């Protein structure tokens, strides 16, 4: 799977960076904070590309691809997820799994509120 330019899809599904949905998901992504940039003082919009890509997957009902995106987004920041040392791999995978679960629970809750 390629995680590339979501700009076209962004326009098509009308994702607004100030929408309630986007901001709620941004909070989850910022807690995930792939390479600890937000924790280190980066602005809240640091991971907006990741937030947008996740929203696109949610709108496409591509739930199974979210975990791969959470892992492979490391490449965007100059890190190869395959290079994670064995002693940190379990913690990394746990963080990815926890975030994926949080995203899916949040999405299910939002879908249920719409109905």
């Amino acid at each position: 799977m390629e995680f590339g330019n979501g700009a076209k899809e962004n326009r098509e599904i009308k994702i607004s960076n100030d929408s309630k949905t986007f901001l709620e998901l941004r909070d989850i992504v910022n807690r995930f904070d792939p390479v600890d940039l937000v924790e280190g003082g980066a602005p809240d919009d640091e991971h907006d590309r990741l937030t947008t890509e996740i929203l696109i997957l949610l709108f496409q009902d591509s739930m199974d691809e979210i975990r791969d995106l959470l892992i492979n987004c490391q490449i965007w920041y100059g890190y190869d997820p395959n290079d994670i040392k064995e002693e940190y791999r379990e913690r990394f995978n746990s963080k990815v799994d926890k975030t994926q679960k949080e995203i899916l629970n949040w999405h299910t809750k939002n879908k249920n509120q719409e109905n």
Side-chain angles (χ1 to χ4, degrees), residues 37-89:
L37 296 175
V38 173
E39 181 181 305
D44 285 346
D45 65 355
E46 184 67 38
H47 304 302
D48 280 2
R49 175 180 177 194
L50 177 57
T51 303
T52 300
E53 293 289 334
I54 292 170
L55 274 175
I56 290 167
L57 292 175
L58 292 171
F59 285 130
Q60 294 173 344
D61 286 325
S62 300
M63 308 307 175
D64 296 338
E65 296 178 33
I66 292 172
R67 186 175 195 283
D68 290 339
L69 176 60
L70 292 172
I71 293 169
N72 292 317
C73 74
Q74 299 284 318
I75 296 168
W76 300 344
Y77 301 98
Y79 299 97
D80 185 339
N82 296 314
D83 291 341
I84 296 172
K85 293 181 181 179
E86 192 61 41
E87 65 236 43
Y88 302 114
R89 187 161 300 279

Side-chain angles (χ1 to χ4, degrees), residues 8 14 32 102:
K8 181 178 180 209
K14 297 183 180 19
F32 174 62
E102 186 176 358

